[in-house]
């Protein structure tokens, strides 16, 4: 039987907030190596060195602010959970329960009470979570680490100690983007130090500073290369309007119901307001006009048809 990679997430629960401390430690040693040990002192040299250091430090701190802003947003933002006792709508016109909710989704039954949920649920595939003992909206998956269902769950990320879902997926992507830019910048800045060391055979630094610089260079270069791969992968996922879990589940399906074209797929993650695209926030107007940003309602492609039930 094929190994399910997502079951590996159950081992991540023990790490807890240790990963946040680890991330802050990496940021700390990076700040020391770039600002305190190298480009900070160059501010007092005058001439081109001072001008170059000013540019470097402004760019470094600008990206660092964005990295910390996006990182904290991913960590503290609830990815989106299913409200207690959530139920799909019944089909009032037919006077019957949603035909998409049947015995294939468990033994739960719909009660006869009025159900205050979005009206277009009646046309989408509603599933039942046997672990949470309740129905779950479309594109919702149960996280074995968080022990609850997450709206449009992408994955549980050990680096942010949180699930990445409908309400913080954009923040996660921006965190990857700005971290890639920052780690690439740091790698290029510190590369000069090692070029001088290997060319001259010596360098005017203490062993401790040189060791911190070497560790910082290796870590940032490794993160830059690995994050580049994640950025490429998630760019493809956003373009297809799918998540990591959905891509794994539908790997044999040639057509995806939520693929509305690259532009609309992008807007379902980043919103319509361009001035909000590069910050971890949404405009109130986007939240009002685009229910997909809330994680419950998702339009489907017009040429997609529900599979026939037997």
């Amino acid at each position: 039987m094929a190994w399910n990679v997502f079951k590996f997430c159950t081992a991540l629960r023990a790490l807890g907030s240790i990963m946040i401390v680890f991330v802050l430690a990496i940021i700390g040693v990076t700040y020391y190596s770039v600002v305190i040990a190298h480009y900070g002192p160059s501010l007092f040299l005058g001439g081109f060195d001072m001008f170059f250091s000013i540019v470097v430090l402004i760019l470094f701190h600008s990206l660092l602010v964005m990295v910390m802003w996006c990182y904290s947003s991913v960590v503290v933002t609830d990815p989106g959970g299913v409200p207690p006792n959530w139920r799909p709508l019944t089909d009032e016109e037919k006077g019957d329960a949603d035909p998409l909710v049947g015995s294939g989704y468990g033994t739960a039954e719909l009660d006869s009470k009025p159900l205050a949920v979005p009206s277009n649920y009646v046309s989408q595939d509603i599933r039942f979570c046997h672990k949470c003992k309740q129905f779950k909206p479309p594109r919702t998956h149960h996280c074995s680490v968080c022990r609850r269902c997450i709206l449009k769950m992408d994955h549980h990320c050990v680096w942010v100690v949180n699930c990445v879902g409908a309400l913080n997926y954009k923040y996660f992507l921006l965190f990857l983007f700005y971290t890639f830019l920052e780690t690439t910048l740091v790698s290029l800045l510190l590369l000069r130090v090692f070029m001088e060391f290997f060319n001259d055979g010596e360098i005017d630094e203490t062993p401790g500073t040189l060791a911190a610089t070497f560790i910082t260079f290796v870590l940032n270069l490794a993160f830059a290369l690995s994050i580049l791969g994640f950025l490429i992968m998630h760019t493809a996922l956003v373009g297809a309007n799918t998540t990591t879990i959905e891509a794994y589940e539908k790997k044999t399906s040639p057509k995806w119901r939520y693929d509305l074209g690259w532009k609309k797929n992008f807007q379902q993650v980043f919103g319509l307001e361009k001035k909000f695209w590069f910050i971890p926030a949404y405009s109130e107007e986007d939240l009002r006009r685009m229910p997909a940003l809330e994680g419950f309602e998702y339009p489907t492609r017009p040429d997609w048809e529900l599979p026939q039930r037997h």
Side-chain angles (χ1 to χ4, degrees):
M1 183 175 65
W3 180 65
N4 187 347
V5 66
F6 300 107
K7 291 183 179 179
F8 177 73
C9 292
T10 57
L12 303 181
R13 189 180 299 115
L15 292 177
S17 301
I18 296 177
M19 295 307 300
I20 296 180
V21 176
F22 182 60
V23 170
L24 295 178
I26 295 175
I27 294 175
V29 70
T30 298
Y31 193 89
Y32 170 81
S33 299
V34 174
V35 179
I36 299 177
H38 293 99
Y39 290 92
S42 299
L43 294 174
F44 304 98
L45 298 179
F48 176 78
D49 288 339
M50 181 184 72
F51 174 77
F52 183 71
S53 295
I54 292 175
V55 174
V56 165
L57 292 176
I58 291 176
L59 184 58
F60 174 84
H61 284 92
S62 298
L63 290 175
L64 181 60
V65 168
M66 295 308 301
V67 168
M68 295 300 296
W69 186 11
C70 295
Y71 182 70
S72 61
S73 297
V74 181
V75 172
V76 303
T77 301
D78 190 306
V82 182
N85 301 318
W86 183 90
R87 294 290 188 275
L89 280 180
T90 56
D91 191 336
E92 297 179 353
E93 294 182 353
K94 294 182 179 180
D96 196 2
D98 185 347
L100 291 175
V101 181
S103 58
Y105 300 99
T107 59
E109 296 180 356
L110 295 174
D111 53 33
S112 58
K113 297 185 297 183
L115 302 171
V117 290
S119 59
N120 70 340
Y121 282 170
V122 298
S123 62
Q124 298 192 32
D125 192 359
I126 307 297
R127 297 173 297 170
F128 184 80
C129 179
H130 294 276
K131 295 181 180 179
C132 295
K133 305 301 181 183
Q134 70 175 74
F135 289 103
K136 54 185 179 181
R139 312 188 73 177
T140 300
H141 290 81
H142 186 88
C143 176
S144 57
V145 181
C146 297
R147 297 176 178 176
R148 62 175 179 144
C149 286
I150 303 297
L151 301 174
K152 196 185 176 183
M153 178 180 173
D154 186 86
H155 69 290
H156 186 94
C157 182
V158 62
W159 293 100
V160 302
V161 197
N162 195 6
C163 260
V164 177
L167 304 186
N168 65 352
Y169 183 51
K170 173 190 174 182
Y171 309 161
F172 174 76
L173 295 180
L174 291 177
F175 169 62
L176 291 182
F177 174 69
Y178 288 116
T179 301
F180 171 72
L181 295 181
E182 181 79 322
T183 53
T184 300
L185 174 66
V186 171
S187 300
L188 293 176
L189 293 176
L190 297 183
L191 180 62
R192 176 187 63 86
V193 178
F194 292 100
M195 292 179 62
E196 293 178 356
F197 176 79
F198 288 111
N199 290 337
D200 301 336
E202 60 181 18
I203 192 170
D204 187 21
E205 290 187 12
T206 64
T209 300
L210 185 60
T213 302
F214 176 76
I215 294 174
T216 301
F217 174 76
V218 171
L219 286 175
N220 279 268
L221 180 61
F223 278 120
L225 294 176
S226 60
I227 290 175
L228 176 61
F230 279 108
L231 276 176
I232 294 174
M233 181 188 76
H234 280 283
T235 299
L237 292 177
V238 171
N241 199 358
T242 187
T243 65
T244 301
I245 294 179
E246 290 170 345
Y248 176 83
E249 291 180 339
K250 70 180 184 69
K251 57 186 178 181
T252 58
S253 177
K255 185 183 294 186
W256 180 234
R257 69 170 79 174
Y258 302 110
D259 187 358
L260 307 177
W262 200 95
K263 182 178 180 181
K264 291 184 178 180
N265 294 343
F266 177 86
Q267 291 173 344
Q268 285 196 17
V269 176
F270 288 87
L272 298 173
E273 294 283 349
K274 295 181 179 179
K275 62 183 178 181
F276 285 88
W277 283 357
F278 293 98
I279 62 174
Y282 292 104
S283 68
E284 293 184 2
E285 184 67 14
D286 274 354
L287 292 176
R288 184 184 64 83
R289 290 185 298 178
M290 301 188 65
L293 298 179
E294 298 288 351
F296 284 96
E297 300 181 56
Y298 297 98
T300 58
R301 49 191 296 168
D303 61 339
W304 188 87
E305 296 181 356
L306 287 171
Q308 295 296 322
R309 301 193 57 159
H310 300 285

